[in-house]
Amino acid sequence: VTPIEPVFLDYSKDLTQLKAKSDIPVLYKQNTTNDIFQLIYLFDMGNNNDKALGTAAQYLEYLGTADMTPEEVKSEFYRLACSFFVSPGSKRTYVVLSGLNENMPAAMALFEKLMANAKVNPEAYTNMANDILKSRKDAKLNQMQNFSRLVSYATYGPKSPATNLLTEAELTSMDPQQLVDRIKQLSSFKHRILYYGPSNQDDLLAIINKEHQAPEALKEIPEGNNFEALLTPETKIFIAPYEAKQIYMSQVSNKGEKFDPAAESGRQLYNEYFGGGMNAIVFQEMRESRGLAYSAGAFLITPSKLKYPYVYRTFIATQNDKMIDAMKAFDEIINNMPESEKAFNLAKDALITRLRTERITKSDVLWSYLNAQDLGLNTDSRKELFEKAQTMTLPEIKAFQEKWVKGRTYIYCVLGDEKDLDLKGLSQYGPIQKLTQEELFGY
């Protein structure tokens, strides 16, 4: 069978960059498939800049205006076959409007009206605050949530994006007008607009320029807390409590290495060979050969932006009594990577086949461009990876492992039932620090 030829993006042709009023950049990709649109206001600010922003965004969905109740707002969006939501993250906030393109002007006008004229609903705020507090309690019961917070603690320390939350006292005592004020001010900050839909470029700009309420001069994004990932120059062990018959364990290592485009091909093939799927070395060694894990993986994670570092992270879920054996085995294969031509060829073929068959289409083209821009790239990095992967050899991956992985120091994260753990064996790796749920979750 003739191999499928890969298709890579050309950002100069596969999307269009426009400018709306107030010098707002617009990324445009035409939808030629159907009559559905998606319009996104993207703000490079989030809870790191203002820890109440996420709560304000959540509150918007419960509000009406002076002349429309919340129920009437919802009914009108339903009538227009459109909907909206606000998705705040730690670093970015997305305001998303979508639906039937012929109704986009009316839906946009309604949404802009809501953003500019939202009216406080005290009862809805009280109910929302209670829901938030309940969801926080529920999170403490979830094993993966506990583990995620433990890894975040190891990565950032006591103060992290995960713990940057309004306290219970702040939530219950807050005047909801403060949240409404944040909503009204949002569009006054610098932002970008993403559009995927059937409208042509001129029609789109005409709609945006008419309906989008933004001042002539947009304000700069306020400085926030960057929550820099901590370096890991010495071995530490963090233990967090969770009653279960199996532990979750991770190793986190940060040497402060910044994004290096030249290393990316080696990183991706190393991850595929060593820590990827069921044919990878980690899975074969830790689960199939040694029976030490239910699941396992290990990856050098590329930064999402130029200012962030590479982080090496492992994961293993195993029985409590197999913890020390699993740690020894993991350290052994990470530092002395087993070499198997057969496994390498499987990994290489899998990576090349995925690149041949993968298609980035529709609105994903816009996100691919944004992700590339975040790393200072102007081209689709998959093209270079595909070309280099053809000729890469196992000795090259071994050399990558020797340079980037071998000899790292780690923060060990162990989530489990302390009474079932071999603390004496653990202490041989380094000093143990026991953490409480309050330290992990920040509440």
Side-chain angles (χ1 to χ4, degrees):
V1 176
T2 304
I4 296 172
E5 288 304 307
V7 177
F8 303 115
L9 298 177
D10 181 342
Y11 296 133
S12 65
K13 297 176 181 177
D14 292 322
L15 63 104
T16 307
Q17 300 186 52
L18 309 171
K19 276 284 172 69
K21 67 178 184 180
S22 306
D23 213 28
I24 299 171
V26 178
L27 294 182
Y28 169 88
K29 174 72 175 173
Q30 190 165 37
N31 178 1
T32 57
T33 307
N34 55 43
D35 293 326
I36 303 300
F37 81 94
Q38 187 176 66
L39 186 79
I40 301 173
Y41 304 161
L42 189 159
F43 300 85
D44 283 300
M45 57 190 286
N47 284 350
N48 286 2
N49 305 80
D50 176 2
K51 66 180 182 178
L53 192 58
T55 309
Q58 196 174 340
Y59 190 41
L60 180 61
E61 297 184 28
Y62 299 94
L63 301 181
T65 63
D67 62 348
M68 295 181 76
T69 66
E71 291 74 20
E72 287 171 337
V73 170
K74 287 184 172 62
S75 294
E76 183 62 11
F77 272 114
Y78 184 79
R79 188 185 69 79
L80 293 169
C82 293
S83 61
F84 78 90
F85 66 90
V86 184
S87 175
S90 57
K91 308 177 191 75
R92 277 182 176 156
T93 297
Y94 306 94
V95 178
V96 184
L97 186 66
S98 61
L100 196 60
N101 196 71
E102 66 184 66
N103 292 334
M104 186 176 84
M108 197 172 171
L110 176 60
F111 180 71
E112 291 283 348
K113 175 183 176 180
L114 179 62
M115 288 269 287
N117 302 292
K119 183 181 177 184
V120 168
N121 182 337
E123 183 182 356
Y125 178 76
T126 301
N127 292 335
M128 185 186 76
N130 289 335
D131 287 345
I132 291 172
L133 294 175
K134 183 181 185 305
S135 69
R136 289 183 182 182
K137 285 184 179 178
D138 292 343
K140 289 186 173 184
L141 303 175
N142 183 282
Q143 188 173 18
M144 189 51 76
Q145 288 267 18
N146 277 264
F147 184 67
S148 174
R149 294 303 181 95
L150 174 58
V151 172
S152 179
Y153 190 100
T155 304
Y156 296 101
K159 296 189 180 300
S160 73
T163 60
N164 188 40
L165 304 166
L166 292 171
T167 65
E168 182 173 351
E170 287 171 330
L171 262 177
T172 53
S173 64
M174 176 172 282
D175 179 357
Q177 183 63 48
Q178 295 178 13
L179 299 181
V180 171
D181 292 342
R182 284 173 167 84
I183 293 167
K184 292 179 178 179
Q185 294 168 12
L186 194 57
S187 290
S188 66
F189 292 102
K190 284 189 174 180
H191 57 281
R192 291 172 279 180
I193 296 177
L194 280 60
Y195 173 81
Y196 175 69
S199 294
N200 64 44
Q201 298 174 24
D202 292 339
D203 288 346
L204 172 66
L205 286 179
I207 295 168
I208 291 174
N209 289 337
K210 180 185 177 187
E211 303 296 350
H212 186 38
Q213 297 186 27
E216 192 171 321
L218 296 172
K219 294 187 288 189
E220 294 292 331
I221 299 295
E223 282 294 316
N225 192 326
N226 284 325
F227 294 107
E228 292 185 11
L230 303 176
L231 298 176
T232 56
E234 55 189 16
T235 303
K236 295 179 184 176
I237 298 165
F238 292 139
I239 295 179
Y242 192 87
E243 290 189 18
K245 292 302 179 185
Q246 67 171 357
I247 62 162
Y248 286 177
M249 187 186 77
S250 183
Q251 294 162 259
V252 178
S253 176
N254 172 18
K255 293 165 65 176
E257 301 130 324
K258 292 297 191 286
F259 179 70
D260 180 1
E264 278 300 288
S265 297
R267 182 193 68 83
Q268 295 208 45
L269 190 48
Y270 165 80
N271 283 347
E272 187 79 34
Y273 168 71
F274 185 72
M278 296 178 73
N279 287 317
I281 296 297
V282 167
F283 193 89
Q284 288 296 317
E285 286 285 328
M286 301 301 293
R287 174 170 165 153
E288 301 302 306
S289 298
R290 310 190 191 203
L292 289 172
Y294 296 104
S295 62
F299 304 93
L300 182 62
I301 302 169
T302 196
S304 58
K305 290 189 177 183
L306 283 173
K307 62 182 179 180
Y308 301 132
Y310 285 98
V311 174
Y312 194 84
R313 189 177 297 164
T314 70
F315 169 75
I316 189 167
T318 188
Q319 292 167 238
N320 296 341
D321 59 351
K322 291 183 177 179
M323 178 182 65
I324 300 299
D325 289 338
M327 290 174 70
K328 288 178 180 176
F330 228 154
D331 285 346
E332 179 187 329
I333 64 173
I334 288 170
N335 289 306
N336 302 294
M337 185 181 76
E339 297 175 61
S340 165
E341 281 290 344
K342 183 179 179 182
F344 174 75
N345 289 329
L346 283 169
K348 184 174 170 178
D349 289 345
L351 180 62
I352 291 172
T353 300
R354 188 162 67 246
L355 291 169
R356 282 187 183 278
T357 58
E358 184 181 47
R359 298 291 184 266
I360 296 177
T361 61
K362 302 181 180 179
S363 60
D364 288 342
V365 173
L366 302 177
W367 297 110
S368 175
Y369 174 74
L370 286 172
N371 292 336
Q373 288 283 288
D374 285 343
L375 292 172
L377 304 175
N378 292 308
T379 57
D380 185 348
S381 60
R382 298 175 304 148
K383 187 174 188 293
E384 183 180 352
L385 173 62
F386 180 76
E387 291 166 354
K388 287 187 174 181
Q390 312 286 330
T391 57
M392 291 184 78
T393 62
L394 182 54
E396 287 179 272
I397 298 305
K398 180 66 176 174
F400 178 90
Q401 181 265 346
E402 295 271 351
K403 177 182 177 181
W404 286 85
V405 179
K406 188 171 183 177
R408 282 177 172 268
T409 52
Y410 295 94
I411 305 292
Y412 289 83
C413 308
V414 181
L415 181 76
D417 195 343
E418 186 184 322
K419 66 179 184 295
D420 294 332
L421 300 179
D422 181 358
L423 297 182
K424 185 177 179 181
L426 265 179
S427 64
Q428 295 176 6
Y429 283 81
I432 295 174
Q433 182 178 344
K434 298 175 185 178
L435 301 171
T436 64
Q437 279 194 318
E438 286 69 28
E439 289 174 303
L440 295 187
F441 284 85
Y443 57 85

